[in-house]
Amino acid sequence: MSDTSYTKIFSGSFIIVQLALDRLISAGINAIIKDESESGRLAGFGASIQGYQELYVNDEELSQAERIISSIKEELGS
């Protein structure tokens, strides 16, 4: 098994993360979503921030993914 490394590239609401994920997938980038609130719900615990997710990409795809995330942030004015 090869060692891989992932970096958090974005975090925010479910809707914005889904938009970013769709754009990354369209560019051929495989991303991972981490959702602490959903993990906590499934385990029977509460979460402090509902709908907050983090988006991670493989370090090999990081520079391309950063450009995509930057363009999304510009579109949204943040």
Side-chain angles (χ1 to χ4, degrees):
M1 179 185 215
S2 65
D3 291 328
T4 58
S5 183
Y6 286 81
T7 300
K8 181 170 80 170
I9 192 164
F10 185 76
S11 58
S13 72
F14 167 82
I15 294 169
I16 305 302
V17 170
Q18 291 301 312
L19 169 66
L21 179 63
D22 183 57
R23 299 263 178 98
L24 291 170
I25 289 171
S26 294
I29 298 172
N30 293 317
I32 296 173
I33 293 177
K34 182 177 179 183
D35 186 335
E36 293 288 339
S37 63
E38 182 64 10
S39 297
R41 185 191 67 79
L42 292 172
F45 301 105
S48 58
I49 303 174
Q50 294 293 321
Y52 179 82
Q53 297 180 331
E54 298 174 337
L55 194 58
Y56 291 80
V57 296
N58 189 299
D59 288 343
E60 294 175 5
E61 302 171 314
L62 185 59
S63 62
Q64 183 182 5
E66 286 176 333
R67 288 191 297 273
I68 293 169
I69 297 299
S70 290
S71 70
I72 292 169
K73 288 179 178 179
E74 286 178 21
E75 287 177 33
L76 298 175
S78 50

